[in-house]
Coordinates of all heavy atoms in Angstrom, one line a residue:
M26 N 18.4 7.9 -29.1 CA 19.2 7.9 -27.9 C 18.6 7.4 -26.8 O 17.8 7.9 -26.1 CB 19.6 9.5 -27.6 CG 20.3 10.2 -28.8 SD 21.5 11.4 -28.3 CE 20.5 12.8 -28.0
R27 N 18.9 6.1 -26.5 CA 18.3 5.4 -25.4 C 18.3 5.9 -24.0 O 17.3 5.8 -23.3 CB 19.0 3.9 -25.3 CG 18.7 3.1 -26.6 CD 19.8 2.0 -26.7 NE 19.9 1.4 -25.4 CZ 19.9 0.0 -25.2 NH1 19.8 -0.8 -26.2 NH2 20.1 -0.5 -24.0
W28 N 19.4 6.6 -23.6 CA 19.5 7.0 -22.3 C 18.5 8.2 -21.9 O 18.3 8.4 -20.8 CB 20.9 7.5 -22.0 CG 21.3 8.8 -22.9 CD1 22.1 8.6 -24.1 CD2 21.2 10.0 -22.7 NE1 22.2 9.8 -24.6 CE2 21.7 10.7 -23.8 CE3 20.6 10.9 -21.7 CZ2 21.7 12.1 -24.0 CZ3 20.5 12.3 -21.9 CH2 21.0 12.9 -22.9
L29 N 17.9 8.7 -23.0 CA 16.8 9.8 -22.6 C 15.6 9.3 -22.0 O 15.0 10.0 -21.2 CB 16.5 10.5 -24.0 CG 17.4 11.6 -24.4 CD1 17.0 12.2 -25.8 CD2 17.6 12.6 -23.4
Y30 N 15.3 8.0 -22.2 CA 14.0 7.5 -21.7 C 14.2 6.3 -20.7 O 13.3 5.9 -20.1 CB 13.0 7.2 -22.8 CG 13.5 6.2 -23.9 CD1 13.5 4.9 -23.6 CD2 14.1 6.6 -25.0 CE1 13.9 4.0 -24.6 CE2 14.5 5.8 -26.0 CZ 14.3 4.5 -25.8 OH 14.9 3.6 -26.7
E31 N 15.3 5.7 -20.8 CA 15.6 4.6 -19.8 C 15.8 5.1 -18.4 O 16.3 6.1 -18.2 CB 16.7 3.8 -20.3 CG 16.4 2.9 -21.5 CD 17.6 2.2 -21.9 OE1 18.7 2.3 -21.4 OE2 17.4 1.2 -22.8
K32 N 15.4 4.2 -17.5 CA 15.5 4.6 -16.1 C 17.0 4.6 -15.8 O 17.8 3.8 -16.3 CB 14.8 3.5 -15.2 CG 13.3 3.8 -15.2 CD 12.7 3.0 -14.0 CE 11.2 3.0 -13.9 NZ 10.8 4.3 -13.5
R33 N 17.3 5.5 -14.8 CA 18.7 5.5 -14.4 C 19.0 4.9 -13.0 O 18.1 4.7 -12.2 CB 19.1 7.0 -14.3 CG 19.0 7.7 -15.6 CD 19.2 9.2 -15.5 NE 18.2 9.9 -14.7 CZ 18.3 11.1 -14.3 NH1 19.4 11.9 -14.5 NH2 17.3 11.7 -13.7
V34 N 20.2 4.6 -12.8 CA 20.6 4.1 -11.4 C 20.9 5.3 -10.7 O 21.6 6.2 -11.0 CB 21.9 3.1 -11.5 CG1 22.3 2.7 -10.1 CG2 21.5 2.0 -12.4
P35 N 20.3 5.4 -9.4 CA 20.4 6.7 -8.6 C 21.7 6.8 -7.9 O 21.7 7.0 -6.7 CB 19.2 6.5 -7.7 CG 19.1 5.1 -7.4 CD 19.4 4.4 -8.7
L36 N 22.8 6.8 -8.5 CA 24.1 6.8 -7.9 C 24.4 8.1 -7.1 O 24.1 9.1 -7.7 CB 25.2 6.6 -8.9 CG 25.5 5.3 -9.5 CD1 26.6 5.2 -10.5 CD2 25.6 4.2 -8.3
G37 N 24.6 8.0 -5.8 CA 24.9 9.2 -5.0 C 23.6 10.0 -4.7 O 23.8 11.0 -4.0
Q38 N 22.5 9.6 -5.1 CA 21.2 10.3 -4.7 C 21.0 10.4 -3.2 O 21.1 9.2 -2.6 CB 20.0 9.7 -5.5 CG 18.9 10.5 -5.6 CD 19.1 12.0 -6.1 OE1 19.1 12.9 -5.3 NE2 19.4 12.1 -7.4
K39 N 20.5 11.5 -2.7 CA 20.3 11.4 -1.3 C 18.8 11.8 -0.9 O 18.5 11.8 0.2 CB 21.3 12.4 -0.5 CG 22.7 11.9 -0.7 CD 23.5 12.4 0.5 CE 24.9 11.8 0.5 NZ 24.9 10.4 0.7
S40 N 18.1 12.4 -1.9 CA 16.8 12.7 -1.7 C 15.7 11.8 -2.1 O 15.7 11.4 -3.3 CB 16.6 14.1 -2.4 OG 15.3 14.4 -2.7
Y41 N 14.8 11.5 -1.3 CA 13.8 10.5 -1.6 C 12.9 11.2 -2.7 O 12.4 10.5 -3.6 CB 12.9 10.1 -0.5 CG 11.8 9.2 -0.7 CD1 12.1 7.8 -1.0 CD2 10.4 9.6 -0.7 CE1 11.0 6.9 -1.4 CE2 9.5 8.7 -1.0 CZ 9.8 7.4 -1.3 OH 8.7 6.5 -1.6
E42 N 12.6 12.4 -2.6 CA 11.8 13.1 -3.6 C 12.4 13.0 -4.9 O 11.7 12.7 -6.0 CB 11.5 14.5 -3.2 CG 10.5 15.2 -4.1 CD 10.0 16.6 -3.6 OE1 10.6 17.0 -2.5 OE2 9.2 17.2 -4.2
K43 N 13.6 13.4 -5.1 CA 14.2 13.2 -6.4 C 14.4 11.7 -6.9 O 14.3 11.6 -8.1 CB 15.8 13.8 -6.2 CG 15.8 15.4 -6.1 CD 17.2 15.8 -6.2 CE 17.2 17.4 -6.0 NZ 18.5 17.8 -5.8
L44 N 14.5 10.9 -5.9 CA 14.6 9.5 -6.4 C 13.3 9.1 -7.0 O 13.2 8.3 -8.1 CB 14.8 8.6 -5.1 CG 15.1 7.0 -5.3 CD1 16.6 6.9 -5.8 CD2 15.0 6.4 -4.0
K45 N 12.2 9.4 -6.4 CA 10.8 9.1 -6.9 C 10.5 9.8 -8.2 O 9.6 9.3 -9.0 CB 9.8 9.3 -5.9 CG 9.7 8.2 -4.7 CD 9.5 6.9 -5.2 CE 8.1 6.6 -5.6 NZ 7.1 6.4 -4.6
T46 N 10.9 11.1 -8.3 CA 10.4 11.9 -9.5 C 11.5 11.9 -10.5 O 11.2 12.5 -11.7 CB 10.1 13.3 -8.9 OG1 11.4 13.8 -8.4 CG2 8.9 13.3 -8.0
G47 N 12.6 11.4 -10.4 CA 13.7 11.6 -11.4 C 14.0 10.5 -12.3 O 15.0 10.2 -12.8
N48 N 13.0 9.7 -12.6 CA 13.1 8.5 -13.5 C 14.3 7.6 -13.1 O 15.1 7.1 -14.0 CB 13.3 9.0 -14.9 CG 13.0 7.9 -15.9 OD1 12.2 7.1 -15.7 ND2 13.7 7.9 -17.1
Y49 N 14.4 7.2 -11.9 CA 15.4 6.3 -11.2 C 14.8 5.0 -11.0 O 13.5 4.9 -10.8 CB 16.0 6.9 -10.0 CG 16.9 8.1 -10.2 CD1 16.4 9.3 -9.6 CD2 18.1 8.0 -10.8 CE1 17.2 10.4 -9.8 CE2 18.9 9.1 -10.9 CZ 18.5 10.3 -10.4 OH 19.2 11.5 -10.5
Y50 N 15.6 3.9 -11.0 CA 15.2 2.7 -10.4 C 15.0 3.0 -8.9 O 15.9 3.6 -8.3 CB 16.3 1.7 -10.6 CG 16.3 1.1 -12.0 CD1 17.4 1.5 -12.9 CD2 15.3 0.2 -12.4 CE1 17.4 1.0 -14.2 CE2 15.5 -0.3 -13.8 CZ 16.4 0.1 -14.6 OH 16.4 -0.4 -15.9
V51 N 14.0 2.5 -8.3 CA 13.7 2.7 -6.9 C 13.3 1.4 -6.2 O 12.5 0.6 -6.7 CB 12.5 3.7 -6.7 CG1 12.2 3.9 -5.2 CG2 12.7 5.0 -7.4
V52 N 13.9 1.1 -5.2 CA 13.5 0.1 -4.3 C 12.5 0.6 -3.2 O 12.9 1.5 -2.5 CB 14.7 -0.6 -3.5 CG1 14.3 -1.8 -2.7 CG2 15.8 -1.1 -4.5
D53 N 11.3 0.0 -3.4 CA 10.2 0.6 -2.4 C 10.5 0.1 -1.0 O 10.2 -1.1 -0.7 CB 8.9 0.0 -3.0 CG 7.7 0.7 -2.2 OD1 8.0 1.4 -1.2 OD2 6.6 0.5 -2.6
K54 N 10.9 1.0 -0.1 CA 11.0 0.6 1.3 C 10.0 1.4 2.2 O 10.1 1.5 3.4 CB 12.4 0.9 1.7 CG 13.6 0.2 0.9 CD 14.8 0.7 1.4 CE 16.1 0.2 0.5 NZ 17.2 0.6 1.0
S55 N 8.9 1.7 1.5 CA 7.8 2.5 2.3 C 7.3 1.7 3.5 O 6.8 2.4 4.5 CB 6.8 3.0 1.3 OG 6.2 2.0 0.5
L56 N 7.1 0.4 3.4 CA 6.5 -0.4 4.4 C 7.5 -0.3 5.8 O 7.0 -0.7 6.8 CB 6.3 -1.8 4.1 CG 5.2 -2.0 3.1 CD1 5.0 -3.5 2.8 CD2 3.8 -1.6 3.8
M57 N 8.6 0.1 5.6 CA 9.5 0.4 6.7 C 8.9 1.5 7.7 O 9.1 1.4 8.9 CB 10.9 1.0 6.2 CG 11.9 1.2 7.2 SD 13.3 1.9 6.4 CE 14.5 0.6 6.7
I58 N 8.2 2.4 7.1 CA 7.4 3.3 8.0 C 6.4 2.6 8.8 O 6.3 2.9 10.0 CB 6.7 4.4 7.1 CG1 7.8 5.1 6.3 CG2 5.9 5.4 8.0 CD1 7.2 6.1 5.2
K59 N 5.7 1.6 8.3 CA 4.7 0.8 9.1 C 5.5 0.1 10.2 O 5.0 0.1 11.4 CB 4.0 -0.1 8.3 CG 3.1 -1.0 9.0 CD 2.3 -2.0 8.0 CE 1.3 -2.8 8.7 NZ 1.7 -3.3 9.9
D60 N 6.7 -0.4 9.9 CA 7.3 -1.1 11.0 C 7.7 -0.2 12.2 O 7.6 -0.5 13.2 CB 8.7 -1.8 10.3 CG 8.4 -2.9 9.5 OD1 7.3 -3.5 9.5 OD2 9.3 -3.3 8.7
Y61 N 8.2 1.0 11.8 CA 8.6 1.9 12.8 C 7.4 2.3 13.6 O 7.5 2.2 14.9 CB 9.1 3.2 12.2 CG 10.6 3.1 11.9 CD1 11.1 2.8 10.7 CD2 11.6 3.2 12.9 CE1 12.4 2.7 10.3 CE2 12.9 3.1 12.6 CZ 13.3 2.8 11.3 OH 14.7 2.7 11.1
L62 N 6.2 2.6 13.0 CA 5.1 2.9 13.8 C 4.6 1.7 14.6 O 4.2 1.9 15.8 CB 4.0 3.3 12.9 CG 4.2 4.7 12.1 CD1 3.1 5.0 11.0 CD2 4.3 5.8 13.0
D63 N 4.6 0.5 14.1 CA 4.2 -0.7 14.9 C 5.0 -0.9 16.1 O 4.5 -1.2 17.1 CB 4.2 -1.9 13.9 CG 3.0 -1.9 12.9 OD1 2.2 -1.1 13.1 OD2 3.0 -2.7 12.0
K64 N 6.4 -0.7 15.9 CA 7.3 -1.0 17.0 C 7.1 0.0 18.1 O 7.3 -0.2 19.3 CB 8.8 -1.0 16.5 CG 9.0 -2.2 15.7 CD 10.6 -2.5 15.7 CE 10.9 -3.8 15.0 NZ 11.2 -3.6 13.6
G65 N 6.8 1.4 17.7 CA 6.5 2.4 18.7 C 7.7 2.7 19.6 O 7.5 3.2 20.6
N66 N 8.9 2.4 19.1 CA 10.1 2.9 19.9 C 10.3 4.3 19.9 O 9.9 5.1 19.0 CB 11.5 2.3 19.2 CG 11.4 0.7 19.4 OD1 10.8 0.2 20.3 ND2 12.1 0.1 18.4
E67 N 10.7 4.9 21.0 CA 11.0 6.3 21.0 C 12.2 6.8 20.2 O 12.2 7.8 19.7 CB 11.2 6.6 22.6 CG 10.8 8.1 22.9 CD 10.6 8.4 24.3 OE1 9.9 7.6 25.0 OE2 11.4 9.2 24.9
V68 N 13.2 5.9 20.2 CA 14.5 6.3 19.4 C 14.9 5.0 18.8 O 14.8 3.9 19.3 CB 15.6 6.6 20.5 CG1 16.9 6.8 19.7 CG2 15.1 7.8 21.3
T69 N 15.4 5.2 17.5 CA 15.9 4.1 16.7 C 17.3 4.6 16.2 O 17.4 5.6 15.6 CB 15.1 3.8 15.6 OG1 13.8 3.4 16.0 CG2 15.6 2.6 14.7
L70 N 18.3 3.8 16.4 CA 19.7 4.0 16.0 C 20.1 3.1 14.8 O 20.1 1.9 15.2 CB 20.6 4.0 17.2 CG 22.1 4.3 16.8 CD1 22.2 5.7 16.4 CD2 23.0 4.1 18.0
I71 N 20.3 3.6 13.7 CA 20.9 2.7 12.6 C 22.2 3.2 12.1 O 22.3 4.3 11.5 CB 19.8 2.7 11.5 CG1 18.4 2.2 11.9 CG2 20.3 1.7 10.3 CD1 17.4 2.2 10.8
T72 N 23.2 2.5 12.5 CA 24.5 3.1 12.2 C 25.2 2.4 11.0 O 26.2 2.8 10.5 CB 25.4 2.9 13.5 OG1 25.6 1.6 13.8 CG2 25.0 3.7 14.6
R73 N 24.7 1.3 10.5 CA 25.3 0.6 9.6 C 24.3 -0.3 8.9 O 23.1 -0.4 9.3 CB 26.4 -0.3 10.1 CG 26.0 -1.2 11.2 CD 26.9 -2.2 11.6 NE 28.1 -1.6 12.1 CZ 29.3 -2.3 12.3 NH1 29.3 -3.5 11.9 NH2 30.3 -1.7 12.7
P74 N 24.5 -0.9 7.7 CA 25.8 -1.0 7.0 C 25.9 0.3 6.2 O 25.0 1.0 5.9 CB 25.6 -2.3 6.1 CG 24.3 -2.6 6.0 CD 23.5 -1.9 7.1
R75 N 27.1 0.4 5.6 CA 27.4 1.6 4.8 C 26.7 1.4 3.4 O 26.5 0.3 3.1 CB 29.0 1.7 4.4 CG 29.8 2.1 5.6 CD 30.8 3.2 5.2 NE 30.2 4.3 4.5 CZ 30.7 5.0 3.7 NH1 31.7 4.7 3.2 NH2 29.9 6.0 3.2
R76 N 26.2 2.6 3.0 CA 25.5 2.6 1.7 C 24.2 1.8 1.7 O 23.9 1.2 0.6 CB 26.5 2.2 0.5 CG 27.7 2.8 0.5 CD 27.7 4.3 0.5 NE 27.3 4.9 -0.8 CZ 26.9 6.2 -0.9 NH1 26.7 7.0 0.2 NH2 26.5 6.6 -2.0
F77 N 23.6 1.7 2.8 CA 22.5 0.8 3.0 C 21.2 1.5 2.5 O 20.1 0.8 2.2 CB 22.3 0.5 4.4 CG 21.3 -0.3 4.9 CD1 21.1 -1.7 4.3 CD2 20.3 0.0 5.8 CE1 20.0 -2.5 4.7 CE2 19.2 -0.8 6.1 CZ 19.1 -2.1 5.6
G78 N 21.3 2.8 2.5 CA 20.1 3.7 2.2 C 19.5 4.4 3.4 O 18.4 4.8 3.3
K79 N 20.3 4.6 4.4 CA 19.9 5.2 5.7 C 19.5 6.7 5.3 O 18.4 7.1 5.9 CB 21.1 5.3 6.7 CG 21.7 3.8 7.1 CD 22.7 3.9 8.1 CE 24.0 4.7 7.6 NZ 24.7 3.9 6.6
T80 N 20.3 7.4 4.6 CA 19.9 8.8 4.4 C 18.7 9.0 3.6 O 17.8 9.7 3.8 CB 21.1 9.5 3.7 OG1 22.3 9.5 4.6 CG2 20.8 10.9 3.3
I81 N 18.5 8.1 2.5 CA 17.3 8.2 1.7 C 16.1 7.7 2.5 O 14.9 8.3 2.4 CB 17.5 7.3 0.4 CG1 18.4 8.0 -0.6 CG2 16.2 7.1 -0.2 CD1 18.6 7.4 -1.9
N82 N 16.2 6.7 3.3 CA 15.2 6.3 4.2 C 14.7 7.4 5.2 O 13.5 7.6 5.4 CB 15.5 5.1 5.0 CG 15.6 3.8 4.2 OD1 15.0 3.8 3.1 ND2 16.3 2.8 4.7
M83 N 15.8 8.1 5.7 CA 15.3 9.3 6.5 C 14.6 10.3 5.7 O 13.7 11.0 6.2 CB 16.7 9.9 7.2 CG 17.3 9.1 8.2 SD 16.3 9.0 9.7 CE 16.6 10.6 10.3
S84 N 15.1 10.6 4.6 CA 14.4 11.5 3.6 C 13.1 11.1 3.3 O 12.1 12.0 3.4 CB 15.2 11.7 2.4 OG 14.6 12.5 1.4
M85 N 12.8 9.8 3.1 CA 11.5 9.3 2.8 C 10.5 9.5 4.1 O 9.4 10.1 3.9 CB 11.6 7.8 2.6 CG 10.2 7.1 2.5 SD 10.4 5.3 2.2 CE 10.9 4.6 3.8
M86 N 11.1 9.3 5.3 CA 10.3 9.5 6.5 C 10.0 10.9 6.7 O 8.9 11.3 7.2 CB 10.9 8.8 7.7 CG 10.9 7.4 7.6 SD 11.0 6.6 9.2 CE 12.2 5.3 8.8
A87 N 11.0 11.7 6.5 CA 10.8 13.2 6.6 C 9.6 13.6 5.6 O 8.7 14.4 6.3 CB 12.1 14.0 6.3
D88 N 9.6 13.2 4.4 CA 8.5 13.5 3.5 C 7.2 13.0 4.2 O 6.2 13.7 4.0 CB 8.7 13.0 2.2 CG 9.8 13.7 1.5 OD1 10.2 14.8 1.8 OD2 10.3 13.0 0.5
F89 N 7.2 11.8 4.7 CA 5.9 11.1 5.2 C 5.4 12.0 6.4 O 4.2 12.3 6.5 CB 6.1 9.7 5.5 CG 4.9 9.1 6.0 CD1 4.0 8.6 5.2 CD2 4.8 8.9 7.4 CE1 2.9 7.9 5.6 CE2 3.7 8.1 7.8 CZ 2.7 7.7 7.0
F90 N 6.3 12.3 7.3 CA 5.8 12.9 8.5 C 5.6 14.4 8.4 O 5.1 15.0 9.4 CB 6.6 12.5 9.7 CG 6.6 11.0 10.1 CD1 7.5 10.2 9.9 CD2 5.4 10.6 10.7 CE1 7.3 8.8 10.2 CE2 5.1 9.3 11.1 CZ 6.2 8.4 10.9
D91 N 6.1 15.1 7.4 CA 5.9 16.4 7.3 C 4.5 16.9 6.9 O 4.0 16.7 5.9 CB 6.9 17.0 6.2 CG 7.0 18.4 6.1 OD1 6.1 19.2 6.7 OD2 7.9 19.0 5.5
I92 N 3.8 17.5 8.0 CA 2.4 17.8 7.7 C 2.3 19.0 6.8 O 1.1 19.2 6.3 CB 1.6 18.1 9.0 CG1 2.3 19.3 9.8 CG2 1.6 17.0 9.9 CD1 1.4 19.8 10.8
T93 N 3.3 19.6 6.4 CA 3.2 20.8 5.5 C 3.3 20.3 4.1 O 3.1 21.1 3.1 CB 4.3 21.9 5.6 OG1 5.5 21.3 5.4 CG2 4.1 22.4 7.1
K94 N 3.6 19.0 3.8 CA 3.8 18.5 2.5 C 2.7 17.5 2.2 O 2.3 16.6 3.1 CB 5.1 17.7 2.4 CG 6.3 18.4 1.9 CD 7.5 17.5 1.7 CE 8.6 18.2 1.1 NZ 9.7 17.3 1.0
D95 N 2.3 17.4 1.0 CA 1.3 16.3 0.5 C 2.2 15.2 -0.1 O 2.5 15.4 -1.3 CB 0.3 16.9 -0.5 CG -0.7 15.8 -0.8 OD1 -0.5 14.6 -0.3 OD2 -1.6 16.0 -1.6
S96 N 2.4 14.2 0.8 CA 3.5 13.1 0.2 C 2.6 12.0 -0.4 O 3.3 10.9 -0.6 CB 4.3 12.8 1.3 OG 3.5 12.3 2.5
K97 N 1.3 12.1 -0.5 CA 0.5 10.9 -1.0 C 1.2 10.3 -2.3 O 1.4 9.1 -2.4 CB -0.8 11.4 -1.4 CG -1.8 10.3 -1.5 CD -3.3 10.9 -1.5 CE -4.2 9.9 -2.1 NZ -5.5 10.5 -2.5
E98 N 1.5 11.2 -3.3 CA 2.0 10.6 -4.6 C 3.5 10.1 -4.4 O 3.8 9.0 -4.9 CB 2.2 11.8 -5.6 CG 0.8 12.0 -6.3 CD 0.1 10.9 -6.9 OE1 0.9 10.0 -7.6 OE2 -1.1 10.6 -6.7
L99 N 4.3 10.8 -3.6 CA 5.7 10.3 -3.3 C 5.7 8.9 -2.6 O 6.5 8.1 -2.9 CB 6.4 11.2 -2.4 CG 7.0 12.5 -3.0 CD1 7.6 13.4 -2.0 CD2 7.9 12.2 -4.1
L100 N 4.7 8.7 -1.7 CA 4.7 7.5 -1.0 C 3.9 6.4 -1.6 O 3.7 5.3 -1.0 CB 4.2 7.7 0.5 CG 5.3 8.0 1.5 CD1 6.2 6.9 1.7 CD2 6.0 9.3 1.2
R101 N 3.3 6.6 -2.8 CA 2.5 5.6 -3.5 C 3.3 4.5 -3.7 O 4.4 4.5 -4.1 CB 2.0 6.2 -4.8 CG 0.9 5.3 -5.5 CD 0.5 6.0 -6.8 NE -0.3 7.2 -6.6 CZ -1.6 7.1 -6.4 NH1 -2.2 6.1 -6.1 NH2 -2.2 8.3 -6.1
I102 N 2.7 3.2 -3.3 CA 3.4 1.9 -3.5 C 3.6 1.7 -5.0 O 2.7 1.8 -5.8 CB 2.6 0.8 -2.9 CG1 2.3 1.0 -1.5 CG2 3.3 -0.5 -3.2 CD1 3.4 0.7 -0.5
L103 N 4.9 1.4 -5.2 CA 5.2 1.1 -6.6 C 4.7 -0.2 -7.2 O 4.5 -1.2 -6.4 CB 6.8 1.1 -6.8 CG 7.5 2.4 -6.3 CD1 9.0 2.1 -6.2 CD2 7.1 3.5 -7.2
K104 N 4.3 -0.2 -8.4 CA 3.8 -1.5 -9.0 C 4.8 -2.2 -9.7 O 4.7 -3.4 -10.0 CB 2.7 -1.2 -10.0 CG 1.4 -0.6 -9.3 CD 0.3 -0.6 -10.3 CE -0.9 0.0 -9.5 NZ -1.7 1.1 -10.1
S105 N 6.0 -1.7 -10.1 CA 7.0 -2.4 -10.8 C 8.4 -1.9 -10.5 O 8.5 -0.9 -9.9 CB 6.8 -2.3 -12.3 OG 6.9 -1.0 -12.8
Ligands
LIG203 N1 15.2 2.9 -2.0 C1 16.3 3.0 -2.9 N2 16.0 2.7 -4.2 C2 17.1 2.8 -5.1 N3 18.4 3.1 -4.8 C3 18.6 3.3 -3.5 C4 17.6 3.3 -2.5 N4 18.2 3.6 -1.3 C5 19.4 3.9 -1.5 N5 19.8 3.7 -2.9 C6 21.1 3.8 -3.4 O1 22.1 3.5 -2.4 C7 22.9 4.9 -2.4 C8 23.3 5.1 -1.0 O2 22.1 5.5 -0.2 P1 22.2 6.4 1.1 O3 23.2 7.6 0.9 O4 20.8 6.7 1.5 O5 22.9 5.3 2.0 P2 23.6 5.6 3.5 O6 23.3 4.3 4.2 O7 23.1 6.7 4.0 O8 25.1 5.6 3.0 P3 26.4 6.1 3.9 O9 26.7 4.9 4.8 O10 27.4 6.5 3.0 O11 25.8 7.3 4.7 C9 22.1 5.9 -3.0 O12 22.8 7.0 -3.5 C10 21.4 5.2 -4.1 O13 22.2 5.1 -5.2
LIG204 MG1 24.1 8.5 4.8

């Protein structure tokens, strides 16, 4: 049964943690955090485009900046 071990497309997924731990195809956007820190803006507004990954990116940053969480594994740069 091929579907048991093949990676899945994360349709409708909204949680970065589930995306990284759920055997999904993942586009690594973790360097976006560096961009935000480098720019040093107080506020960033991203209203579009639709289905761009805004919610998942916010979830990724929430995991990164949450000092009560150890996000080292979650934020590990992907090799493939
Ligand atoms: N880093 C990623 N890796 C793989 N798939 C992703 C990634 N980010 C987003 N997706 C895919 O795109 C879908 C839409 O992501 P998300 O809900 O974060 O976008 P959005 O910009 O918030 O959408 P909306 O405009 O509807 O609010 C996800 O359900 C997932 O299938
Ligand atoms: Mg959204």
Side-chain angles (χ1 to χ4, degrees):
M26 296 216 275
R27 292 161 43 131
W28 59 270
L29 278 178
Y30 54 86
E31 283 181 353
K32 281 191 186 292
R33 298 176 288 173
V34 177
L36 288 178
Q38 195 52 254
K39 296 208 171 298
S40 152
Y41 180 71
E42 185 170 0
K43 284 189 185 162
L44 189 73
K45 285 297 289 283
T46 57
N48 198 34
Y49 290 112
Y50 285 106
V51 181
V52 179
D53 186 354
K54 301 182 186 175
S55 52
L56 284 177
M57 185 183 243
I58 298 171
K59 179 182 183 311
D60 286 346
Y61 276 101
L62 291 173
D63 286 348
K64 286 201 176 95
N66 293 333
E67 206 164 304
V68 175
T69 302
L70 177 65
I71 303 175
T72 58
R73 56 172 60 195
R75 288 227 58 211
R76 312 305 287 162
F77 179 61
K79 301 180 296 294
T80 298
I81 287 184
N82 289 339
M83 289 293 289
S84 170
M85 173 180 73
M86 288 203 225
D88 286 339
F89 180 80
F90 286 110
D91 186 344
I92 57 168
T93 67
K94 265 190 175 176
D95 182 4
S96 52
K97 198 171 159 193
E98 283 305 315
L99 278 181
L100 269 297
R101 189 180 291 282
I102 300 282
L103 303 171
K104 289 191 178 131
S105 59

